[in-house]
Amino acid sequence: MLTDSDKKLVLQVWEKAIRHPDCGAEALERLFTTYPQTKTYFPHFDLHHGSDQVRNHGKKVLAALGNAVKSLGNLSQALSDLSDLHAYNLRVDPVNLQLLAQCFHVVLATHLGNDYTPEAHAAFDKFLSAVCTVLAEKYR
């Protein structure tokens, strides 16, 4: 559960993260490179570095996270449609969501540097864990 302090840190990190609009694409590229088995969910994508398809999907990832940040008090409702899509249509292994979250941490640390303090990292990790939990709810 996110505390008020966590929520404040998440908002601060997010405001800095969105200054880097390719963060989502970078996280996806890291995901595909580090965990090549995740590519199986994107057989129709050009997965090369700088691909328009990866860049566009990265923007969708950022938009979904932005929606979650705006709805910190009710993530289940904010992410319900996305949870349905991943569980029922795409059938994405929920572990992949956690792997993407790890990659997103690396991208944030790279771009935010000293602004991604241990406290900010911990708060954003709680947030991403909550997002992953909500997205995996429909699998149960």
Side-chain angles (χ1 to χ4, degrees):
M1 179 142 184
L2 292 168
T3 65
D4 288 341
S5 176
D6 291 332
K7 290 176 184 178
K8 182 179 176 183
L9 286 168
V10 167
L11 289 169
Q12 289 173 356
V13 167
W14 188 250
E15 286 180 15
K16 294 172 185 168
I18 59 175
R19 294 180 194 151
H20 305 281
D22 283 336
C23 278
E26 289 178 42
L28 286 169
E29 285 185 8
R30 284 184 178 278
L31 177 73
F32 299 144
T33 301
T34 309
Y35 307 101
Q37 71 274 17
T38 60
K39 293 178 184 181
T40 61
Y41 295 99
F42 299 89
H44 56 289
F45 270 34
D46 171 10
L47 298 177
H48 293 93
H49 176 71
S51 154
D52 285 339
Q53 290 174 312
V54 173
R55 189 176 306 116
N56 289 334
H57 195 69
K59 289 177 184 175
K60 290 179 184 179
V61 169
L62 284 184
L65 287 175
N67 184 40
V69 168
K70 291 177 190 172
S71 305
L72 288 173
N74 194 353
L75 288 176
S76 291
Q77 182 178 353
L79 298 172
S80 180
D81 290 344
L82 194 57
S83 180
D84 287 344
L85 175 68
H86 282 84
Y88 302 131
N89 296 77
L90 302 175
R91 300 181 192 268
V92 174
D93 184 344
V95 170
N96 292 335
L97 304 170
Q98 296 167 344
L99 298 175
L100 180 59
Q102 291 172 4
C103 293
F104 201 73
H105 278 299
V106 173
V107 171
L108 288 175
T110 301
H111 284 288
L112 303 184
N114 291 336
D115 288 338
Y116 203 50
T117 65
E119 296 81 12
H121 182 168
F124 214 79
D125 187 52
K126 281 185 185 179
F127 164 69
L128 290 176
S129 292
V131 167
C132 289
T133 298
V134 167
L135 291 177
E137 281 178 350
K138 305 285 173 79
Y139 288 86
R140 297 181 188 144

